[in-house]
Amino acid sequence: MEKLEIILPTPKIAKALDLPEDEKVYYLKRLRFADETLMAIEATYLPVTLFPDLSKEELDTTPLYDVMRNKYGVVADSARETFGAVAINRHEAELFQLPPGHPALDLERFTYAGEQCVEYTVGVVRGDRFRFEVRLK
């Protein structure tokens, strides 16, 4: 994980998490790798009230959903994720080591524990290496 800090949410983030705009959230910047290839750049937002004392050290060694479940008793049981086509910007191109304008997918994920949104994530995923699978029942 690149970064963990506490911030005031933008109106969009507050709405996504169904929080008042003055309620603080954690901001996590995560770079997702497959082997040694950067596959995604993600910004994740979590309500501080649900996860007090969350630390970068524990998230560097333990998956987020394990920390949610084992430390806080929050079980993520569903999610809604959308993807759309985009071109990477200059900053993303530097991180991905690709030319600006390279095809990618934008990602938006809402993760729920019951009816409560406990995680909101936005990101950019490599369009040339990412494979998305959906199973419907």
Side-chain angles (χ1 to χ4, degrees):
M1 183 177 55
E2 290 291 302
K3 183 185 289 190
L4 172 68
E5 58 188 46
I6 295 175
I7 63 168
L8 283 173
T10 64
K12 180 179 179 178
I13 294 165
K15 182 179 179 184
L17 291 168
D18 195 24
L19 298 173
E21 289 181 25
D22 63 347
E23 189 167 318
K24 293 182 178 177
V25 297
Y26 289 105
Y27 160 66
L28 289 71
K29 180 179 180 183
R30 300 188 289 177
L31 302 180
R32 305 294 207 157
F33 289 86
D35 298 317
E36 295 184 19
T37 301
L38 179 62
M39 298 297 290
I41 304 164
E42 294 181 345
T44 295
Y45 303 92
L46 309 166
V48 171
T49 55
L50 281 180
F51 308 106
D53 304 318
L54 191 62
S55 76
K56 183 178 182 313
E57 292 73 30
E58 68 189 326
L59 292 176
D60 282 341
T61 60
T62 308
L64 174 61
Y65 293 152
D66 289 352
V67 173
M68 287 177 163
R69 181 181 58 252
N70 298 332
K71 184 175 179 181
Y72 299 102
V74 174
V75 178
D77 57 13
S78 67
R80 179 171 45 95
E81 202 165 73
T82 58
F83 294 90
V86 295
I88 60 174
N89 63 34
R90 188 177 314 268
H91 174 69
E92 294 159 348
E94 288 176 16
L95 292 172
F96 283 121
Q97 298 179 346
L98 294 169
H102 193 81
L105 298 171
D106 71 341
L107 154 76
E108 184 177 47
R109 179 175 52 249
F110 300 83
T111 304
Y112 298 90
E115 297 297 313
Q116 182 176 18
C117 186
V118 297
E119 172 200 11
Y120 175 62
T121 295
V122 292
V124 177
V125 181
R126 281 184 70 135
D128 62 337
R129 298 247 179 123
F130 184 77
R131 187 167 183 85
F132 184 66
E133 178 179 331
V134 177
R135 293 182 186 206
L136 304 172
K137 290 185 178 185

